[in-house]
Amino acid sequence: MNEFDESKHPRADDGKFTSGGGTYPQNSNSDIEIAVKALEELDRKRSDKKMTPAEKIASVHIDFDKDNILPELNDEDLEKVGSKVNKSVLLKKSIIDRNANRHDDAMPDTELIIKNALYSPSEVFKGNKDKPYYTFVKPMKISKRNGLDEYGIVLLDVDEKKDNFELVHWHWVNAEGIEKLKK
């Protein structure tokens, strides 16, 4: 077995390996600078491209075993909630578990409700007079339910002090339930 020959691998005073005597090709600073600039430009182009509501809807895939980061709100909905800064939407694992206990009938339809209510809402209105919560509503016909319009509801915390907007809960309601929520 070959033993490690320290003399063939010089180190600096701090113990880190130095480039002296290495056989790997060395990049010039200009090559590295060009590569860094190209990556920065690519990142800028990606961040400049806004997702359409349809792209946001298609991108939502909930993992029930962990926290999930969802796309930012649509600009017109951001205006409705009165926020100047758009943020990703966070769905915490603890909220998934809480929703399973309180709204178990909505759990099989979690993705359907969340992605449609958040990114294609028919209405957005204040959801709590004391907290920065907003209700996102989307009517959907679900054949396995009663055949009538059922409304998918998502309650979203838009506290600007937090790093993300956060889902509080989601569930189904009927038309009467929407009117009660508005009051």
Side-chain angles (χ1 to χ4, degrees):
M1 182 183 290
N2 294 340
E3 291 200 24
F4 184 77
D5 184 352
E6 186 73 38
S7 66
K8 292 182 181 176
H9 305 279
R11 295 176 186 254
D13 291 339
D14 65 359
K16 293 180 182 173
F17 290 108
T18 64
S19 61
T23 59
Y24 295 105
Q26 300 297 312
N27 291 326
S28 70
N29 283 341
S30 62
D31 290 343
I32 293 171
E33 289 170 5
I34 290 169
V36 167
K37 285 181 183 176
L39 288 172
E40 288 172 348
E41 177 68 14
L42 183 61
D43 283 344
R44 187 186 62 72
K45 285 181 180 176
R46 284 184 185 151
S47 66
D48 287 349
K49 183 184 181 278
K50 290 195 177 250
M51 292 174 75
T52 65
E55 289 170 327
K56 291 175 184 179
I57 289 169
S59 74
V60 174
H61 302 287
I62 306 298
D63 183 335
F64 291 87
D65 296 321
K66 67 178 189 176
D67 291 353
N68 293 261
I69 298 291
L70 308 177
E72 296 178 341
L73 297 178
N74 299 322
D75 288 341
E76 61 272 15
D77 299 322
L78 184 68
E79 191 174 305
K80 291 174 187 172
V81 301
S83 181
K84 303 227 183 303
V85 179
N86 211 343
K87 303 176 188 181
S88 297
V89 175
L90 174 63
L91 172 56
K92 294 179 181 176
K93 166 76 167 100
S94 61
I95 297 298
I96 293 171
D97 295 342
R98 183 177 153 272
N99 213 77
N101 288 326
R102 295 188 178 182
H103 304 289
D104 65 331
D105 66 316
M107 292 308 291
D109 303 313
T110 293
E111 278 189 22
L112 178 72
I113 294 170
I114 290 173
K115 66 186 179 182
N116 285 291
L118 273 184
Y119 303 113
S120 180
S122 59
E123 292 183 74
V124 177
F125 55 86
K126 187 84 169 126
N128 185 305
K129 65 180 180 166
D130 301 320
K131 297 179 182 177
Y133 288 0
Y134 281 83
T135 301
F136 288 68
V137 180
K138 181 69 175 186
M140 297 176 246
K141 284 193 186 266
I142 305 298
S143 61
K144 66 183 174 187
R145 295 185 57 82
N146 60 15
L148 302 173
D149 276 348
E150 289 287 333
Y151 295 82
I153 299 289
V154 170
L155 189 63
L156 189 68
D157 180 351
V158 296
D159 187 343
E160 294 202 8
K161 294 177 213 132
K162 295 182 178 180
D163 291 337
N164 299 289
F165 295 143
E166 296 182 9
L167 278 164
V168 177
H169 68 221
W170 62 96
H171 58 96
W172 291 111
V173 297
N174 58 23
E176 291 172 9
I178 295 289
E179 293 309 313
K180 287 179 186 175
L181 287 171
K182 287 180 180 178
K183 295 177 183 178

